[in-house]
Amino acid sequence: MEFRHLGRSGLMVSEISYGNWITHGSQVEEDAAFACVRAALDVGITTFDTADVYAGTRAEDVLGRALEGERREGLEIFTKVYWPTGPGRNDRGLSRKHIMESINGSLRRLRTDYVDLYQAHRYDHSTPLEETMEAFADVVRSGKALYIGVSEWRASEIREAHRLARELRIPLVSNQPQYSMLWRVIESEVVPTSEELGIGQIVWSPIAQGVLSGKYLPGQPPPAGSRATDEKSGAGFISRFMNDEVLTRVQRLKPLAEQAGLSMAQLAVAWVLQNPNVSSAIVGATRPEQVHDNVKAAGVKLDAELLKAIDEVIDPIVERDPARTESPAERP
Ligand SMILES: NC(=O)c1ccc[n+]([C@@H]2O[C@H](COP(=O)([O-])OP(=O)(O)OC[C@H]3O[C@@H](n4cnc5c(N)ncnc54)[C@H](OP(=O)(O)O)[C@@H]3O)[C@@H](O)[C@H]2O)c1
């Protein structure tokens, strides 16, 4: 495993981190969830990402139990707040009340006294940013979180939060956006702003939810047990990539991966890690073999010719519009 600084902070994170959205507490049984966390630890992953909302709070509970007994100082545990965790009007968003209640629930489920990074899962247009940042400052000062991050925030939102964080003297160090060969919406605005402010990206869905592994073939039903067959939630989320044009072009990346001596999933993860503003790529997995496959992307250098050849294949299906970074206009 290779390690990088999280933004300009002193915190080191594993280049590849493990996340449990859709999988733990939902798509996969507990045995498989535990086996994947074990595999991640065995290959040197130290950074684990979850959220209060995943599987209706069950994902944090599964991760907490899977990591129980590990040396806490050897782990970086990240969670998030914003999406609804209960039926009430205040069980969501970034109000002071919800932040204070949600961090306590997350710590209880994760069986830890603190998280290393506490992230605003989206921007909350119904709460003054000052209120949110002051609540985060209190969470940090109480020792319940060491660093603060955001997720899917626009460049202008990151800049304003960073200004407030400086005033409050708390470390806002990261953004967690979707980023892959197919989804590059952060490149024109979020990345330059983050570089200027010393904020690192912890990127999600680097394999485009499994699509960039090349296992989904155009015109054919998805493989049994894959995310595209998970009617509970996965199939809906992955559907944006499940069309013949995308799947056909992705198949054309296969010879490029072979020439580079990489599996398709390794090529996808290595690709996001070529961006120096990326601190870590969060991969998901339903089986330990996937963790073993993906982790080999750490430390891989892709040459300029290969990057150009990739662009030529997928250019028409790449999403680049910075306006695609958006949070709900109203609290969900
Ligand atoms: N901040 C946010 O808003 C946000 C949103 C989404 C995700 N995230 C974070 O990012 C993490 C990763 O997201 P993701 O799970 O979508 O990432 P991903 O790594 O792009 O996709 C993971 C899925 O792809 C399949 N897969 C992984 N490795 C494979 C391999 N080597 N060969 C074939 N298939 C493979 C597996 O699904 P199957 O086996 O089921 O096909 C796996 O669950 C999440 O767990 C979460 O922590 C954050």
Side-chain angles (χ1 to χ4, degrees), residues 9 22 78-79 86 106 134 164-165 168 175 177 188 214 218 225 229 231 256-257 286 291 296 310 315 317 325:
S9 80
I22 293 185
F78 298 175
T79 194
S106 291
E134 280 170 16
L164 289 167
L168 291 159
N175 177 45
S188 60
T229 65
E231 293 302 332
L256 300 179
T286 56
V291 177
K296 295 196 189 88
I310 292 171
D315 189 59
I317 54 167
T325 295

Side-chain angles (χ1 to χ4, degrees), residues 19-21 23 27 49-50 54 80 121-122 151-152 176 204-210 213 215-216 225-227 265 282-287 290 293-294:
N20 71 355
W21 175 55
T23 55
Q27 186 193 351
D49 182 76
T50 185
Y54 292 169
K80 317 186 193 79
H121 211 153
R122 290 293 181 274
S151 172
E152 289 292 334
Q176 187 176 128
W204 59 269
S205 295
I207 312 172
Q209 305 195 40
S213 74
K215 69 182 172 186
Y216 297 107
S226 62
R227 183 172 294 185
I282 322 171
V283 299
T286 56
R287 289 190 286 284
Q290 294 174 345
D293 181 12
N294 302 342

